[in-house]
Amino acid sequence: MAAARRARLGDPRAGFRQPAAELGPAVPQGLIRAARKSGQLNLAGRNLTEVPQHVWRINLDTPEEAHQNLSFGAADRWWEQTDLTKLILASNKLQCLSEDVKLLPALTVLDVHDNQLRSLPSALGQLENLQKLDLSHNKLESIPEELLQLSRLKSLLLQHNELSCLPDGFGQLVNLEELDVSNNHLTDIPTSFALLINLVRLNLASNQLKTLPADISTMKSLRQLDCTKNYLETVPSKLATMASLEQLYLRKNKLRALPDFPSCKLLKELHAGENQIEILNSENLKHLNSLSVLELRDNKIKSIPDEITLLQKLERLDLANNDISRLPYTLGNLPQLKFLALEGNPLRTIRRDLLQKGTQELLKYLRSKIQDDVPSQNEEPPVTAMTLPSESRINMHAITTLKLLDYSEKQAAAIPDEMFCAVQSHPVTTVNFSKNQLMEIPPR
């Protein structure tokens, strides 16, 4: 009798229940009802092996509670439901997604990271409002061409999959701002990457790349580029023209040298440890006015150019485990330097116990050595063969350490030959003959 009555009136508990075969215990009806109001549905970590049909059809089917003879408060007006815009299916056991994903055309966020997906439905390409797609930590071996139709996509996360290549037309995703394809098996990058001019973050780490396309330099918005743990032997010189670049990670590659960075005025962090870099040139460094982190540990660098003291914003300098035997003492004058790592170098002038005392003690020591090197301003220069008619002593420290030939503010009509003789075999990079009475450039 009670059963017949329930059948006639409808079971008042029906709105809170769904037949197990249709939805399964993993998706409570209350969640579905809440999602109709908020436009967001989070089904993460529910051991789902497939997405129930009821979820794909959430905006199409009349809600179960609409059939019930119940009075609705303002909060329960099912007919005022919102289209689903955010669907989180992360950390389940999904091996595939249904083509029915196209029944959710309002989706702006789809998160299916940490599943067991081996392929993607072509219907994904119909989600024209999608802005963020997280497919990371799956078993994807390829990306369907249809995915390239997602013209509004801003964030695409594909890290930790089994991808060996990307579609040639990847550059069609022109609105991408974030792309992560790290921890895959990529051996090259499509040349169409050059079209991704809105990309801000690009992560290519832990792949099998031997080269980067020079066209990557057209990414004028790129601020962060991570190429850690690949097989790069060189970096395209055009990379150095990327004016927006702030963070560059080149660790764990096969680089023998760094590129010069003439245009990277905003570069704040350069990480190039665990390579085979032997020479650090002044050209590599002198334009990096904004650099705060320089990490070059575990290379084969033999010497540090004096121009490193031009990096006035440097806060962290890691030179551990190289072949450096001497340091420019002027390193102690870098005003922002808080961390200096030098262990594992055959330094001749610095005792090992001093290295263990920490950065501040080390910098203090370096500064004290500068004082030893430069004669006191009050001292009378000794009369030697090097004393010039103007009584101005040649600054050999400037010539040998700073590579600077300075004969300025003398009101002289000619530069004495002794100045040029003093240079001899020492290479100088800067000459200062300003504020004199020269009528011509000295022939020497």
Side-chain angles (χ1 to χ4, degrees), residues 277-320:
I277 299 169
E278 295 182 10
I279 297 175
L280 197 59
N281 292 321
S282 59
E283 291 299 318
N284 299 143
L285 302 174
K286 67 182 185 184
H287 302 288
L288 300 177
N289 305 331
S290 300
L291 203 67
S292 63
V293 177
L294 178 58
E295 189 265 304
L296 294 165
R297 66 182 298 126
D298 297 285
N299 276 289
K300 299 177 180 177
I301 298 167
K302 292 182 172 58
S303 65
I304 302 299
D306 297 309
E307 285 77 6
I308 199 159
T309 56
L310 297 174
L311 307 181
Q312 289 289 296
K313 293 187 178 175
L314 203 60
E315 294 179 17
R316 294 180 64 84
L317 177 59
D318 191 343
L319 298 168

Side-chain angles (χ1 to χ4, degrees), residues 10-51:
D11 187 342
R13 294 169 297 174
F16 302 90
R17 266 197 332 219
Q18 203 61 21
E22 186 180 351
L23 202 57
V27 184
Q29 185 62 22
L31 267 185
I32 297 289
R33 206 161 47 249
R36 287 203 181 94
K37 292 177 200 163
S38 68
Q40 302 186 6
L41 179 57
N42 187 343
L43 299 177
R46 293 184 169 272
N47 278 323
L48 297 176
T49 52
E50 60 180 11
V51 180

